[in-house]
Amino acid sequence: MLPSLLTTLFFSLSIIFAARSAKVLGASTANLARITVATVLLGLWGHTFGQGLNGAGLPWFFLSGVVGFGLGDMALFGALPRIGPRLAILLTQCLAAPLAAAIEWTWLGTTLRTVDVICAAVILLGVAIALAPDRSLAVPRGVFWAGVLFGIGSALGQASGAVLSRKADEVGTLAGLAVDGGTAAYQRALGGIVITAIAYLLTQKLRPTEKALEPERWRRGWRLVAGNALLGPTIGVSCYQWALLTTPSGLVLPIVATSPLATMLFVWALESERPTRRAIFGGVIAVAGAAALKVAQLSGT
C-alpha cells in the first residue's frame, strides 16, 4: 500500500512543478529540460543495472516514447498554462483509460465489454461536470478551450503510448528478449527526447522572441525542472514499479488513479486555487470511473 500511495503523491506533485516550470521557462523549454534530465537519469539505470538498448521491443518502446513522452507531454505542457494543473491532470489521467481501451479495440481487436463502455461514460460525465465551473476562469474562452483540447491530446498521447508499450512487451516476451521496467522507460524516453527536441527547435525558429534561456529565468526555473523530472518519470515511476512488485495491480491502479484528486488538494494548498464543489464532485466521479475501468480490465469481468 505504501508504494502505491507514494506513487500518487509524487505524480501529483510533479504536475505542479511542471506547471510552474512552464510559467518560468516557457512550455517548450521546460518540457525539453524535463525530459532531458529524466533521460539522463533513466539512462544511468538502463546502462548500469538494466539492459540498455537491448531487447526485441526496442523499436516499439522508442515509438511509444515518441507518442507518449513526446507528443503527449508536449500537449500536456500546452494545457498547463491555459487551464492549470488541476484540470490538465484530470483530463490526462482520466481520459487516457477509455481512450486506451478504444485504441486497443481498433488496432489489436481487444473486445470492449458493456462494463468498459459504462465506466468510460462515467469518466466522461465526471470530466464534463468538473470542466463546467471553469468556464468562469479569468481567461478568454478561446484560451480555455484550447487548453481543454491540449489536455485531450495529452490523454490521447498517454493512451497511445501505453498501447504501444504493451505491443513492445508482447514482442519482447515472444522473442525471449524482454526488458525490465526501468530499461523500458529509458528506451521510451529516447523516443520522447528526439521528438521534443525537434519540436523545440521548430518553436524557437517560429517564436524567436521567447527568452527562456535568460540566466535569471534559469536561476528560478532549474529547481522546478529538476523537481518535475525527479518526482515524475524518475522517483514516481520507480515507486510505481515497486508497487506492482509488492502489491496486486488490482489495488495499485485504483490508488494511482486518484492522483487528479490529490493534485486538486496540492494546488489548493500551494497555489490557493480552491476548487468549487462542483469541480470536486466531477473529479471524484471521473476518478471513480477510471479506477473502476482499470479494476474491470484486470479482473476480466
Side-chain angles (χ1 to χ4, degrees):
M1 185 67 70
L2 175 61
S4 302
L5 294 174
L6 289 175
T7 301
T8 303
L9 171 67
F10 289 129
F11 281 177
S12 302
L13 285 173
S14 70
I15 197 68
I16 297 176
F17 277 87
R20 291 185 174 184
S21 65
K23 289 181 180 179
V24 173
L25 299 173
S28 60
T29 302
N31 188 27
L32 178 59
R34 170 251 191 189
I35 197 172
T36 299
V37 173
T39 301
V40 170
L41 294 174
L42 291 169
L44 290 175
W45 166 269
H47 289 288
T48 303
F49 302 102
Q51 293 103 315
L53 298 178
N54 297 316
L58 173 60
W60 288 104
F61 279 127
F62 186 88
L63 181 59
S64 172
V66 168
V67 175
F69 266 137
L71 299 176
D73 282 356
M74 282 191 287
L76 175 61
F77 273 82
L80 287 171
R82 292 172 171 84
I83 59 176
R86 177 168 57 85
L87 289 180
I89 194 65
L90 178 68
L91 285 168
T92 299
Q93 292 289 349
C94 292
L95 291 183
L99 287 173
I103 292 170
E104 282 196 38
W105 171 63
T106 303
W107 183 34
L108 302 179
T110 304
T111 304
L112 282 180
R113 300 158 300 169
T114 302
V115 66
D116 297 328
V117 176
I118 293 174
C119 290
V122 171
I123 292 170
L124 293 175
L125 174 63
V127 169
I129 293 173
L131 286 176
D134 289 303
R135 292 177 181 174
S136 61
L137 286 176
V139 295
R141 177 169 297 204
V143 173
F144 173 78
W145 287 111
V148 170
L149 290 177
F150 274 118
I152 294 173
S154 174
L156 182 59
Q158 184 179 107
S160 301
V163 175
L164 287 167
S165 291
R166 284 196 58 191
K167 180 66 175 181
D169 286 329
E170 179 182 304
V171 170
T173 300
L174 290 175
L177 296 172
V179 298
D180 64 276
T183 300
Y186 167 56
Q187 293 179 359
R188 291 188 70 223
L190 290 175
I193 196 172
V194 168
I195 193 68
T196 303
I198 292 173
Y200 174 79
L201 293 175
L202 291 175
T203 300
Q204 293 304 305
K205 185 175 181 180
L206 294 174
R207 298 175 59 187
T209 57
E210 184 176 339
K211 300 178 180 180
L213 297 181
E214 291 180 351
E216 175 58 30
R217 289 177 180 266
W218 274 110
R219 276 194 291 270
R220 290 185 293 148
W222 74 266
R223 293 182 180 86
L224 299 173
V225 169
N228 182 22
L230 287 172
L231 292 173
T234 306
I235 299 176
V237 171
S238 297
C239 288
Y240 184 59
Q241 295 298 326
W242 174 26
L244 292 174
L245 288 174
T246 60
T247 308
S249 55
L251 297 177
V252 173
L253 294 177
I255 293 174
V256 175
T258 64
S259 57
L261 297 181
T263 298
M264 286 188 184
L265 296 177
F266 285 129
V267 170
W268 184 5
L270 298 176
E271 301 186 356
S272 300
E273 182 187 328
R274 183 174 183 175
T276 64
R277 292 181 180 178
R278 189 174 180 185
I280 295 175
F281 179 62
V284 170
I285 292 176
V287 167
L293 177 57
K294 291 179 179 180
V295 171
Q297 290 174 336
L298 289 169
S299 63
T301 58

mmCIF file of all heavy atoms in Angstrom, residues 71-83 88 91-92 143-157:
data_model
loop_
_atom_site.group_PDB
_atom_site.id
_atom_site.type_symbol
_atom_site.label_atom_id
_atom_site.label_comp_id
_atom_site.label_asym_id
_atom_site.label_seq_id
_atom_site.Cartn_x
_atom_site.Cartn_y
_atom_site.Cartn_z
ATOM 1 N N LEU A 71 4.873 13.595 -28.028
ATOM 2 C CA LEU A 71 3.661 14.316 -28.407
ATOM 3 C C LEU A 71 2.705 14.501 -27.226
ATOM 4 O O LEU A 71 2.123 15.567 -27.045
ATOM 5 C CB LEU A 71 2.957 13.573 -29.544
ATOM 6 C CG LEU A 71 3.766 13.426 -30.846
ATOM 7 C CD1 LEU A 71 2.987 12.589 -31.858
ATOM 8 C CD2 LEU A 71 4.121 14.789 -31.423
ATOM 9 N N GLY A 72 2.550 13.451 -26.420
ATOM 10 C CA GLY A 72 1.636 13.543 -25.285
ATOM 11 C C GLY A 72 2.062 14.587 -24.268
ATOM 12 O O GLY A 72 1.253 15.389 -23.801
ATOM 13 N N ASP A 73 3.361 14.602 -23.926
ATOM 14 C CA ASP A 73 3.843 15.571 -22.946
ATOM 15 C C ASP A 73 3.869 16.990 -23.507
ATOM 16 O O ASP A 73 3.677 17.965 -22.774
ATOM 17 C CB ASP A 73 5.228 15.175 -22.450
ATOM 18 C CG ASP A 73 5.174 14.041 -21.431
ATOM 19 O OD1 ASP A 73 4.058 13.636 -21.073
ATOM 20 O OD2 ASP A 73 6.239 13.559 -21.010
ATOM 21 N N MET A 74 4.107 17.129 -24.809
ATOM 22 C CA MET A 74 4.024 18.468 -25.403
ATOM 23 C C MET A 74 2.603 19.009 -25.288
ATOM 24 O O MET A 74 2.398 20.192 -25.001
ATOM 25 C CB MET A 74 4.468 18.422 -26.870
ATOM 26 C CG MET A 74 5.974 18.375 -27.059
ATOM 27 S SD MET A 74 6.487 18.638 -28.769
ATOM 28 C CE MET A 74 6.001 17.090 -29.524
ATOM 29 N N ALA A 75 1.624 18.138 -25.496
ATOM 30 C CA ALA A 75 0.235 18.563 -25.335
ATOM 31 C C ALA A 75 -0.056 18.915 -23.882
ATOM 32 O O ALA A 75 -0.758 19.892 -23.591
ATOM 33 C CB ALA A 75 -0.706 17.459 -25.811
ATOM 34 N N LEU A 76 0.494 18.141 -22.949
ATOM 35 C CA LEU A 76 0.296 18.430 -21.528
ATOM 36 C C LEU A 76 0.858 19.803 -21.171
ATOM 37 O O LEU A 76 0.207 20.599 -20.478
ATOM 38 C CB LEU A 76 0.956 17.354 -20.673
ATOM 39 C CG LEU A 76 0.940 17.588 -19.159
ATOM 40 C CD1 LEU A 76 -0.484 17.670 -18.637
ATOM 41 C CD2 LEU A 76 1.718 16.487 -18.439
ATOM 42 N N PHE A 77 2.075 20.101 -21.644
ATOM 43 C CA PHE A 77 2.671 21.397 -21.350
ATOM 44 C C PHE A 77 1.944 22.523 -22.087
ATOM 45 O O PHE A 77 2.057 23.685 -21.692
ATOM 46 C CB PHE A 77 4.161 21.385 -21.710
ATOM 47 C CG PHE A 77 5.034 20.885 -20.594
ATOM 48 C CD1 PHE A 77 5.209 19.527 -20.386
ATOM 49 C CD2 PHE A 77 5.672 21.764 -19.741
ATOM 50 C CE1 PHE A 77 6.000 19.055 -19.354
ATOM 51 C CE2 PHE A 77 6.460 21.317 -18.703
ATOM 52 C CZ PHE A 77 6.629 19.955 -18.503
ATOM 53 N N GLY A 78 1.219 22.195 -23.142
ATOM 54 C CA GLY A 78 0.368 23.194 -23.781
ATOM 55 C C GLY A 78 -0.885 23.464 -22.967
ATOM 56 O O GLY A 78 -1.417 24.576 -22.967
ATOM 57 N N ALA A 79 -1.362 22.441 -22.242
ATOM 58 C CA ALA A 79 -2.563 22.596 -21.425
ATOM 59 C C ALA A 79 -2.286 23.324 -20.116
ATOM 60 O O ALA A 79 -3.121 24.113 -19.646
ATOM 61 C CB ALA A 79 -3.175 21.222 -21.133
ATOM 62 N N LEU A 80 -1.134 23.083 -19.512
ATOM 63 C CA LEU A 80 -0.847 23.597 -18.168
ATOM 64 C C LEU A 80 -0.995 25.113 -18.035
ATOM 65 O O LEU A 80 -1.668 25.581 -17.108
ATOM 66 C CB LEU A 80 0.559 23.157 -17.738
ATOM 67 C CG LEU A 80 0.692 21.677 -17.374
ATOM 68 C CD1 LEU A 80 2.158 21.309 -17.172
ATOM 69 C CD2 LEU A 80 -0.112 21.361 -16.121
ATOM 70 N N PRO A 81 -0.386 25.917 -18.924
ATOM 71 C CA PRO A 81 -0.517 27.370 -18.739
ATOM 72 C C PRO A 81 -1.902 27.898 -19.098
ATOM 73 O O PRO A 81 -2.218 29.049 -18.775
ATOM 74 C CB PRO A 81 0.549 27.939 -19.679
ATOM 75 C CG PRO A 81 0.721 26.907 -20.741
ATOM 76 C CD PRO A 81 0.505 25.596 -20.056
ATOM 77 N N ARG A 82 -2.726 27.095 -19.751
ATOM 78 C CA ARG A 82 -4.041 27.560 -20.190
ATOM 79 C C ARG A 82 -5.155 27.207 -19.203
ATOM 80 O O ARG A 82 -6.036 28.020 -18.934
ATOM 81 C CB ARG A 82 -4.364 26.980 -21.576
ATOM 82 C CG ARG A 82 -3.472 27.554 -22.677
ATOM 83 C CD ARG A 82 -3.683 26.829 -24.003
ATOM 84 N NE ARG A 82 -2.990 27.496 -25.093
ATOM 85 C CZ ARG A 82 -1.706 27.314 -25.380
ATOM 86 N NH1 ARG A 82 -0.982 26.458 -24.654
ATOM 87 N NH2 ARG A 82 -1.146 27.956 -26.381
ATOM 88 N N ILE A 83 -5.128 25.985 -18.667
ATOM 89 C CA ILE A 83 -6.201 25.563 -17.762
ATOM 90 C C ILE A 83 -5.690 25.152 -16.391
ATOM 91 O O ILE A 83 -6.481 24.775 -15.521
ATOM 92 C CB ILE A 83 -7.020 24.402 -18.378
ATOM 93 C CG1 ILE A 83 -6.126 23.197 -18.671
ATOM 94 C CG2 ILE A 83 -7.740 24.857 -19.626
ATOM 95 C CD1 ILE A 83 -6.895 21.986 -19.193
ATOM 96 N N ALA A 88 -5.668 19.955 -16.099
ATOM 97 C CA ALA A 88 -4.788 19.265 -17.039
ATOM 98 C C ALA A 88 -4.572 17.814 -16.628
ATOM 99 O O ALA A 88 -4.661 16.892 -17.449
ATOM 100 C CB ALA A 88 -3.446 19.994 -17.140
ATOM 101 N N LEU A 91 -7.900 15.704 -17.016
ATOM 102 C CA LEU A 91 -8.145 15.279 -18.390
ATOM 103 C C LEU A 91 -7.182 14.170 -18.800
ATOM 104 O O LEU A 91 -7.587 13.156 -19.387
ATOM 105 C CB LEU A 91 -7.994 16.476 -19.331
ATOM 106 C CG LEU A 91 -9.134 17.494 -19.342
ATOM 107 C CD1 LEU A 91 -8.713 18.753 -20.085
ATOM 108 C CD2 LEU A 91 -10.379 16.903 -19.975
ATOM 109 N N THR A 92 -5.898 14.350 -18.489
ATOM 110 C CA THR A 92 -4.890 13.383 -18.920
ATOM 111 C C THR A 92 -5.095 12.021 -18.280
ATOM 112 O O THR A 92 -5.136 10.995 -18.958
ATOM 113 C CB THR A 92 -3.481 13.905 -18.600
ATOM 114 O OG1 THR A 92 -3.261 15.127 -19.304
ATOM 115 C CG2 THR A 92 -2.422 12.895 -19.022
ATOM 116 N N VAL A 143 -8.874 30.610 -25.075
ATOM 117 C CA VAL A 143 -7.699 30.058 -24.394
ATOM 118 C C VAL A 143 -8.093 28.840 -23.577
ATOM 119 O O VAL A 143 -7.391 27.813 -23.564
ATOM 120 C CB VAL A 143 -7.041 31.123 -23.495
ATOM 121 C CG1 VAL A 143 -5.920 30.516 -22.657
ATOM 122 C CG2 VAL A 143 -6.507 32.272 -24.336
ATOM 123 N N PHE A 144 -9.222 28.936 -22.871
ATOM 124 C CA PHE A 144 -9.686 27.814 -22.051
ATOM 125 C C PHE A 144 -9.932 26.571 -22.899
ATOM 126 O O PHE A 144 -9.448 25.480 -22.584
ATOM 127 C CB PHE A 144 -10.975 28.206 -21.312
ATOM 128 C CG PHE A 144 -11.610 27.064 -20.571
ATOM 129 C CD1 PHE A 144 -11.101 26.640 -19.362
ATOM 130 C CD2 PHE A 144 -12.721 26.403 -21.096
ATOM 131 C CE1 PHE A 144 -11.681 25.579 -18.673
ATOM 132 C CE2 PHE A 144 -13.309 25.352 -20.422
ATOM 133 C CZ PHE A 144 -12.785 24.939 -19.204
ATOM 134 N N TRP A 145 -10.660 26.733 -24.000
ATOM 135 C CA TRP A 145 -10.985 25.560 -24.803
ATOM 136 C C TRP A 145 -9.771 25.046 -25.568
ATOM 137 O O TRP A 145 -9.673 23.856 -25.857
ATOM 138 C CB TRP A 145 -12.152 25.860 -25.732
ATOM 139 C CG TRP A 145 -13.447 25.939 -24.996
ATOM 140 C CD1 TRP A 145 -14.218 27.033 -24.775
ATOM 141 C CD2 TRP A 145 -14.099 24.858 -24.321
ATOM 142 N NE1 TRP A 145 -15.313 26.714 -24.005
ATOM 143 C CE2 TRP A 145 -15.269 25.385 -23.717
ATOM 144 C CE3 TRP A 145 -13.807 23.502 -24.159
ATOM 145 C CZ2 TRP A 145 -16.131 24.594 -22.973
ATOM 146 C CZ3 TRP A 145 -14.676 22.718 -23.412
ATOM 147 C CH2 TRP A 145 -15.822 23.273 -22.832
ATOM 148 N N ALA A 146 -8.827 25.924 -25.878
ATOM 149 C CA ALA A 146 -7.570 25.447 -26.447
ATOM 150 C C ALA A 146 -6.842 24.574 -25.433
ATOM 151 O O ALA A 146 -6.277 23.525 -25.775
ATOM 152 C CB ALA A 146 -6.689 26.625 -26.854
ATOM 153 N N GLY A 147 -6.869 24.993 -24.163
ATOM 154 C CA GLY A 147 -6.262 24.179 -23.109
ATOM 155 C C GLY A 147 -6.945 22.837 -22.956
ATOM 156 O O GLY A 147 -6.293 21.813 -22.720
ATOM 157 N N VAL A 148 -8.267 22.826 -23.072
ATOM 158 C CA VAL A 148 -9.010 21.564 -22.995
ATOM 159 C C VAL A 148 -8.594 20.635 -24.134
ATOM 160 O O VAL A 148 -8.382 19.431 -23.936
ATOM 161 C CB VAL A 148 -10.527 21.822 -23.041
ATOM 162 C CG1 VAL A 148 -11.302 20.511 -23.207
ATOM 163 C CG2 VAL A 148 -10.978 22.546 -21.771
ATOM 164 N N LEU A 149 -8.459 21.184 -25.343
ATOM 165 C CA LEU A 149 -8.033 20.360 -26.480
ATOM 166 C C LEU A 149 -6.624 19.824 -26.267
ATOM 167 O O LEU A 149 -6.335 18.667 -26.589
ATOM 168 C CB LEU A 149 -8.103 21.181 -27.767
ATOM 169 C CG LEU A 149 -9.506 21.522 -28.267
ATOM 170 C CD1 LEU A 149 -9.432 22.408 -29.510
ATOM 171 C CD2 LEU A 149 -10.299 20.250 -28.576
ATOM 172 N N PHE A 150 -5.732 20.651 -25.728
ATOM 173 C CA PHE A 150 -4.390 20.167 -25.403
ATOM 174 C C PHE A 150 -4.460 19.044 -24.370
ATOM 175 O O PHE A 150 -3.712 18.059 -24.447
ATOM 176 C CB PHE A 150 -3.518 21.309 -24.877
ATOM 177 C CG PHE A 150 -2.840 22.110 -25.955
ATOM 178 C CD1 PHE A 150 -3.110 23.463 -26.110
ATOM 179 C CD2 PHE A 150 -1.905 21.515 -26.798
ATOM 180 C CE1 PHE A 150 -2.483 24.205 -27.102
ATOM 181 C CE2 PHE A 150 -1.277 22.243 -27.787
ATOM 182 C CZ PHE A 150 -1.554 23.595 -27.938
ATOM 183 N N GLY A 151 -5.346 19.191 -23.376
ATOM 184 C CA GLY A 151 -5.494 18.158 -22.360
ATOM 185 C C GLY A 151 -5.985 16.849 -22.949
ATOM 186 O O GLY A 151 -5.509 15.761 -22.577
ATOM 187 N N ILE A 152 -6.923 16.936 -23.871
ATOM 188 C CA ILE A 152 -7.411 15.728 -24.549
ATOM 189 C C ILE A 152 -6.286 15.113 -25.377
ATOM 190 O O ILE A 152 -6.119 13.886 -25.422
ATOM 191 C CB ILE A 152 -8.621 16.065 -25.436
ATOM 192 C CG1 ILE A 152 -9.807 16.515 -24.561
ATOM 193 C CG2 ILE A 152 -9.021 14.870 -26.301
ATOM 194 C CD1 ILE A 152 -10.993 17.041 -25.354
ATOM 195 N N GLY A 153 -5.488 15.973 -26.037
ATOM 196 C CA GLY A 153 -4.335 15.472 -26.792
ATOM 197 C C GLY A 153 -3.329 14.786 -25.896
ATOM 198 O O GLY A 153 -2.730 13.767 -26.271
ATOM 199 N N SER A 154 -3.129 15.320 -24.685
ATOM 200 C CA SER A 154 -2.230 14.685 -23.723
ATOM 201 C C SER A 154 -2.735 13.298 -23.336
ATOM 202 O O SER A 154 -1.963 12.340 -23.260
ATOM 203 C CB SER A 154 -2.110 15.568 -22.481
ATOM 204 O OG SER A 154 -1.354 14.923 -21.475
ATOM 205 N N ALA A 155 -4.044 13.195 -23.094
ATOM 206 C CA ALA A 155 -4.634 11.897 -22.754
ATOM 207 C C ALA A 155 -4.495 10.913 -23.908
ATOM 208 O O ALA A 155 -4.182 9.727 -23.711
ATOM 209 C CB ALA A 155 -6.108 12.072 -22.394
ATOM 210 N N LEU A 156 -4.699 11.402 -25.132
ATOM 211 C CA LEU A 156 -4.565 10.542 -26.305
ATOM 212 C C LEU A 156 -3.124 10.060 -26.463
ATOM 213 O O LEU A 156 -2.878 8.886 -26.785
ATOM 214 C CB LEU A 156 -5.004 11.300 -27.555
ATOM 215 C CG LEU A 156 -4.967 10.540 -28.887
ATOM 216 C CD1 LEU A 156 -5.856 9.315 -28.823
ATOM 217 C CD2 LEU A 156 -5.386 11.448 -30.039
ATOM 218 N N GLY A 157 -2.150 10.955 -26.212
ATOM 219 C CA GLY A 157 -0.754 10.553 -26.293
ATOM 220 C C GLY A 157 -0.400 9.516 -25.248
ATOM 221 O O GLY A 157 0.284 8.533 -25.540
#
